[in-house]
Amino acid sequence: MAMFISKKLLGSSGGYFRAISCRNHAGLSLASHSHVLSELSTMKKTGSPFFAFQKLSTSVLTPESSEGTFPSDLLSMGQVLAPERKIGLYQDLVIPVTNFNNEDKGFMVLAGDVFDVPIRKDIIHRVVRWQLAKRQQGTHSTKTISEVSGTGRKPWPQKGTGQARHGSRRGPQWRHGATMHGPKPRSHAIKLNKKVRRLGLKIALTARAAEGKLAIFDDMDVPTHKTKNIVNYLKHMENTKKLLLVDGGPINEKLKLSTQNLHYVNVLPSIGLNVYSILLHDTLVMSRDAVNKIVERMHTPINR
């Protein structure tokens, strides 16, 4: 029977296991106690939340897999790692902070009333409909009978010709005639209360945090404007197809140049963060400044 790592061993890993929910799979095992400790120390030095956590979280210890004598007080028959937390309890979250160089920059506390709210798909649906309707240009236009080109003379007499009665060549029944009840320029925007829009953004951020697809960077500074730096960084991120980078203020020029040729990487300032953009990208990376500004915006009273 597989034995899971006890709390005494996990205590040496610091606060990392409190920040990321871990899953256990049978069949994977570590070689020895020393190997576990070396993995923990390597994880602290590299500060890599994308790789090191999965190595340790999917590892179990068995009596057969131990090369030497393993301390019995470090083994437990029960599962030690906490189960997946419940979403929507408005609890503050602690998440590690890193950067493009994958360096450890400490931790950051995310406000529970912004990053841990109950998931409601109906609110997300309403906000997305509001966004898509509001961004429509509404410039479609067709010509009425008074706008099409053509004579206003009656084509032939009312009676005596055997033809159907007509009064104008510009009618909708004629070729190149008018369009009846056609579209005219208008606004497609629908009304949605500000508190619903704000709640939709909180739900989207909560979903990404719950999925483990939210990363916090100390800053968005990149060494050069070369695209290969961003590409190399994405290669180290698992299960990432589209990436959204959110910075607090104006976008850094080097970051803008390094991402403009990548159709699967987009950059936004915090003021432009929206529900639809979050849903379009499976991974969200925010800077410290962006998180602080988003939380401040969510806590600002709504002007009525």
Side-chain angles (χ1 to χ4, degrees):
M1 179 180 295
M3 303 291 185
F4 290 94
I5 306 173
S6 70
K7 293 182 179 178
K8 293 183 180 180
L9 182 57
L10 292 179
S12 63
S13 63
Y16 285 84
F17 287 95
R18 294 192 296 272
I20 295 182
S21 59
C22 302
R23 296 173 296 176
N24 298 307
H25 302 280
L28 296 176
S29 62
L30 289 178
S32 63
H33 177 205
S34 60
H35 182 67
V36 176
L37 295 180
S38 64
E39 289 289 346
L40 291 173
S41 61
T42 303
M43 179 178 61
K44 282 187 177 182
K45 293 179 181 178
T46 58
S48 173
F50 299 106
F51 320 106
F53 286 119
Q54 294 199 351
K55 286 184 180 179
L56 296 175
S57 63
T58 58
S59 303
V60 294
L61 292 171
T62 61
E64 293 79 9
S65 63
S66 300
E67 297 176 354
T69 303
F70 196 89
S72 59
D73 58 337
L74 293 180
L75 293 177
S76 172
M77 295 296 294
Q79 183 174 350
V80 176
L81 295 179
E84 294 184 1
R85 64 178 183 86
K86 293 183 179 180
I87 305 174
L89 300 180
Y90 300 97
Q91 296 178 347
D92 293 345
L93 308 178
V94 180
I95 187 169
V97 181
T98 180
N99 57 13
F100 283 111
N101 297 324
N102 212 12
E103 299 173 348
D104 183 13
K105 295 295 182 178
F107 294 88
M108 186 173 188
V109 178
L110 305 181
D113 57 349
V114 177
F115 292 89
D116 190 24
V117 301
I119 302 295
R120 289 187 55 183
K121 295 182 180 179
D122 59 315
I123 297 295
I124 295 293
H125 177 259
R126 291 174 62 186
V127 175
V128 170
R129 280 193 64 241
W130 170 77
Q131 277 191 241
L132 296 183
K134 190 175 179 62
R135 78 177 189 177
Q136 281 189 257
Q137 291 183 350
T139 56
H140 39 50
S141 180
T142 55
K143 291 184 178 181
T144 63
I145 195 171
S146 63
E147 296 171 336
V148 294
S149 177
T151 180
R153 180 177 179 271
K154 188 176 178 65
W156 48 74
Q158 181 80 356
K159 304 176 73 67
T161 63
Q163 299 278 1
R165 298 171 291 185
H166 292 290
S168 173
R169 280 282 190 178
R170 295 180 294 175
Q173 71 275 21
W174 294 98
R175 184 169 179 264
H176 301 303
T179 301
M180 301 306 295
H181 311 293
K184 283 293 184 179
R186 68 182 180 92
S187 172
H188 291 265
I190 58 178
K191 181 184 177 184
L192 190 64
N193 292 339
K194 290 182 180 179
K195 62 180 181 181
V196 180
R197 294 181 241 161
R198 180 174 291 186
L199 179 59
L201 184 56
K202 292 180 181 180
I203 294 173
L205 292 173
T206 298
R208 285 292 175 261
E211 295 167 353
K213 290 292 188 176
L214 174 64
I216 306 298
F217 278 14
D218 191 46
D219 53 51
M220 290 291 177
D221 294 337
V222 290
T224 64
H225 63 282
K226 295 293 185 180
T227 305
K228 64 180 180 181
N229 295 330
I230 303 296
V231 173
N232 292 333
Y233 170 72
L234 283 176
K235 288 181 180 178
H236 297 306
M237 298 183 68
E238 298 181 357
N239 301 324
T240 299
K241 295 182 179 179
K242 295 194 71 175
L243 177 66
L244 179 62
L245 303 173
V246 182
D247 202 357
I251 304 301
N252 185 6
E253 191 64 27
K254 290 183 180 179
L255 180 62
K256 187 185 301 183
L257 292 175
S258 61
T259 58
Q260 66 180 2
N261 289 333
L262 301 176
H263 67 275
Y264 49 86
V265 179
N266 290 307
V267 185
L268 280 178
S270 61
I271 193 65
L273 184 62
N274 59 87
V275 175
Y276 191 63
S277 295
I278 294 177
L279 296 181
L280 283 180
H281 303 79
D282 55 17
T283 303
L284 176 63
V285 176
M286 304 177 66
S287 64
R288 282 183 186 266
D289 190 24
V291 172
N292 293 331
K293 290 189 176 181
I294 289 294
V295 172
E296 181 182 0
R297 194 170 85 189
M298 294 296 105
H299 291 167
T300 303
I302 297 176
N303 295 327
R304 299 186 181 276

